[in-house]
Amino acid sequence: MSATEDVAAAVAAAFREEWGQVVATLIRVTGDWDLAEECAQDAFTQALDRWRRDGVPRRPGAWLTTTARNRALDVLRRRAVGAARLREAAVLARDEQPYDPEYDRDDSGVRDDRLRLIFTCCHPALPVEARVALTLRTLAGLTTPEIARAFLVPEATMAQRLVRAKRKIRNAGIPYRVPPAHLLPERTTGVLGVVYLLFNEGYAATSGAELVRAGLCAEAVRLARLLARLMPDEPETLGLLALLLLHDARRHTRVDAAGDLVTLEDQDRSAWDRAEIDEGTALVETVLRRGRPGPYQIQAAIAACHANAATADDTDWADIAALYGALLRFVPSAVVRLNRAVAVGMSEGPDAGLALVAEVERDGELADYHLLPATRADLLRRAGRTAEAAAAYERALELVRNDAERRFLRRRLAQCRPG
Amino acid sequence: MRYALLARLPDGGEEPPSGGPDRPEVTGGVRLRPAVDATTVRVRDGEVLLADGPFAPSGEDLAAIALVDAEDLDEAIALAAGHPYACDGGSVEVRPVWE
């Protein structure tokens, strides 16, 4: 590799590692989101040039933050904004350390600017789509066109969404901070929810045209890793990271070359990412020992049961059924009850599962959800009641919206009809 | 008698030039920032629910106006959640004002 390529690689690596930190610090220093992004961008551009000449600095993050901060200071000076802002920025510019724990301490006791940034991006007064987009832009460093492609919206729409969100943060006075103790649990749940949603957006990608969306899974895992590192005392952050790793490990096997869905049962287990499974499993085992379970930890434990079964037949369905029972205490939803019905059906026989499915059907809450008749169909098929199964698959086909899932249901239906 | 004058403008988000007629009868008033910067607060079963923007279901009527000073949006939301209408099946829109 040439020296030029070395530098380009170092800058690219620094971008992945440091972008969020540089932007987060600059937002705190300047209070100006656009200026922060501009100056961060500028620092990375300068790095390409300067590192080639002077060599890659020992601490690239420190170099980038200082460079971006100096640039912001210049701009602010030229704009001659309020003297207080300028003083604050000037004090920072004198620091040797780019990251001074004493300075960064606020009421919450949390010190990392990236946490302030993610809590602000995920503030519940912002629309959900804006929270996701803003997190990807400012913390993960994706460009607006990249985010637009990932969410299948026109670039102008995404740009407008980001502008509006930043304007609301400024105009409505959304504070740039980690929330105080009385708001922290609820807001943390909100932040984890955004990262989970991000992952699911990528996970739902099924065809070549949607491959760009799959990159969202990697971003979500990266963000979950960051949160787990920044909030190690919050068991659910570790639970979320474990859950995402365990799902991500199976991501490539859930769709075949034709873009068709492959069920867990039929997936090629040898192609699962063993490193991710081991890391996720170790994480969830460790965190559950703290005795403060939550929905992400329990879902991770369920995913670990699946991921560690050598074959589909080795799956410990009784364990999974018990875990869904525990999950119901946190998430008393019809979807969780339906999943529990599947697990019970697998461990105690289709009839026990069908009885639970019937309970969910009686509630009527999932009347339009294709997985309700699809689940019943699957249990009927396993019970050998093929005519009834076929009718239930037909009902599911009326409700399904995703093409890959439609093809899957058609195949199942064909199997239930006498050839 | 005392009356409230509820003045409207086309959407745009530009800072409006003035907040009301320059007359001695006008006892006070503020200029509201655009609706896109609003947050609607409702309290249901003790839980504070937030929605981006104004939330005006049919059957709800503008019934009161209060001006509050708050450090930031979180503090304003807490004040809104303590408003009797927020819990009473109604909602309270938090709208920043031009200063």
Side-chain angles (χ1 to χ4, degrees):
Chain A
M1 206 191 268
S2 75
T4 305
E5 282 168 343
D6 277 346
V7 167
V11 173
F15 188 86
R16 307 281 301 165
E17 291 303 313
E18 312 286 353
W19 169 268
Q21 177 71 62
V22 176
V23 172
T25 302
L26 266 284
I27 291 175
R28 172 167 54 74
V29 172
T30 65
D32 183 330
W33 289 57
D34 292 326
L35 180 65
E37 274 177 37
E38 269 165 42
C39 294
Q41 194 64 62
D42 187 73
F44 281 95
T45 310
Q46 278 195 45
L48 268 179
D49 209 41
R50 294 275 302 278
W51 295 4
R52 201 168 289 154
R53 202 181 63 207
D54 305 339
V56 177
R58 201 163 46 82
R59 291 183 305 154
W63 189 96
L64 289 160
T65 307
T66 306
T67 305
R69 185 196 290 138
N70 289 342
R71 168 97 182 134
L73 196 62
D74 276 352
V75 174
L76 286 177
R77 197 177 280 126
R78 256 183 279 125
R79 284 192 203 159
V81 291
R85 261 294 171 236
L86 195 59
R87 266 203 305 280
E88 192 183 348
V91 167
L92 268 164
R94 282 200 303 272
D95 290 345
E96 283 296 310
Q97 298 284 334
Y99 169 49
D100 177 352
E102 283 312 307
Y103 185 87
D104 284 348
R105 197 195 300 276
D106 67 11
D107 295 346
S108 61
V110 184
R111 295 167 182 180
D112 196 293
D113 281 328
R114 285 169 300 181
L115 266 187
R116 287 187 183 83
L117 181 55
I118 195 167
F119 273 105
T120 306
C121 289
C122 298
H123 195 281
L126 296 170
V128 171
E129 322 83 76
R131 291 178 220 167
V132 175
L134 209 51
T135 302
L136 284 174
R137 175 72 200 109
T138 59
L139 199 64
L142 269 66
T143 63
T144 305
E146 281 169 343
I147 304 169
R149 274 203 303 279
F151 285 88
L152 314 172
V153 301
E155 208 176 304
T157 308
M158 186 54 75
Q160 173 74 355
R161 193 177 287 175
L162 286 163
V163 165
R164 276 209 175 152
K166 282 187 264 192
R167 200 164 57 201
K168 180 164 183 182
I169 289 171
R170 187 176 62 238
N171 293 348
I174 291 178
Y176 190 62
R177 65 163 185 207
V178 175
H182 69 281
L183 289 175
L184 193 57
E186 171 194 334
R187 295 282 168 86
T188 303
T189 305
V191 168
L192 298 180
V194 166
V195 176
Y196 187 55
L197 188 146
L198 188 54
F199 184 85
N200 279 333
E201 283 287 336
Y203 206 63
T206 49
S207 66
E210 291 189 16
L211 270 184
V212 59
R213 292 159 59 86
L216 294 176
C217 289
E219 292 303 334
V221 170
R222 226 155 62 82
L223 287 167
R225 225 179 253 294
L226 178 65
L227 285 171
R229 200 162 69 228
L230 297 177
M231 304 180 78
D233 297 332
E234 172 47 60
E236 282 290 89
T237 61
L238 303 179
L240 176 65
L241 175 58
L243 176 62
L244 299 195
L245 287 167
L246 289 161
H247 278 328
D248 200 54
R250 300 194 265 111
R251 184 159 52 86
H252 300 289
T253 62
R254 61 189 286 283
V255 179
D256 66 16
D260 281 330
L261 281 188
V262 183
T263 58
L264 192 51
E265 201 174 350
D266 296 328
Q267 285 172 15
D268 174 6
R269 289 174 188 242
S270 67
W272 288 355
D273 186 326
R274 207 56 239 178
E276 281 190 313
I277 291 174
D278 290 344
E279 187 188 356
T281 306
L283 262 171
V284 69
E285 281 173 357
T286 311
V287 74
L288 278 173
R289 273 198 291 271
R290 292 190 198 169
R292 288 161 58 203
Y296 291 119
Q297 295 169 72
I298 297 170
Q299 289 177 82
I302 293 168
C305 280
H306 286 301
N308 289 294
T311 66
D313 288 339
D314 290 327
T315 308
D316 188 343
W317 286 105
D319 239 13
I320 293 173
L323 284 165
Y324 273 118
L327 184 58
L328 271 177
R329 285 202 293 276
F330 294 95
V331 189
S333 77
V335 172
V336 176
R337 287 167 61 203
L338 191 61
N339 280 310
R340 179 162 166 266
V342 173
V344 168
M346 296 301 285
S347 66
E348 295 173 24
D351 289 344
L354 283 166
L356 291 173
V357 170
E359 274 181 30
V360 178
E361 279 172 343
R362 270 198 296 280
D363 288 352
E365 198 185 316
L366 297 183
D368 297 329
Y369 185 49
H370 67 280
L371 287 182
L372 181 54
T375 301
R376 196 155 60 84
D378 192 60
L379 288 164
L380 287 166
R381 183 178 62 86
R382 289 176 196 278
R385 293 155 66 180
T386 46
E388 290 166 86
Y393 278 125
E394 274 166 8
R395 175 68 189 137
L397 274 164
E398 286 168 21
L399 298 170
V400 72
R401 286 168 193 271
N402 177 304
D403 280 342
E405 288 188 82
R406 179 173 297 118
R407 288 195 298 273
F408 169 76
L409 290 169
R410 286 218 181 99
R411 284 202 307 277
R412 282 285 199 240
L413 176 60
Q415 288 164 13
C416 287
R417 281 186 173 139
Chain B
M1 286 289 285
R2 191 176 234 194
Y3 298 90
L5 307 186
L6 307 176
R8 296 173 196 277
L9 273 179
D11 290 346
E14 294 294 311
E15 181 166 0
S18 73
D22 187 13
R23 301 263 310 173
E25 295 91 335
V26 176
T27 56
V30 292
R31 293 169 304 148
L32 305 179
R33 280 190 181 271
V36 290
D37 291 333
T39 304
T40 300
V41 181
R42 288 171 298 150
V43 180
R44 299 290 182 268
D45 302 324
E47 199 185 342
V48 179
L49 307 173
L50 302 185
D52 173 59
F55 177 81
S58 58
E60 247 182 38
D61 190 18
L62 184 61
I65 293 175
L67 290 175
V68 299
D69 280 321
E71 190 63 39
D72 54 42
L73 184 63
D74 284 340
E75 205 181 302
I77 287 168
L79 289 164
H83 194 289
Y85 297 3
C87 328
D88 245 7
S91 63
V92 178
E93 182 182 326
V94 178
R95 183 82 76 96
V97 303
W98 292 100
E99 285 174 286

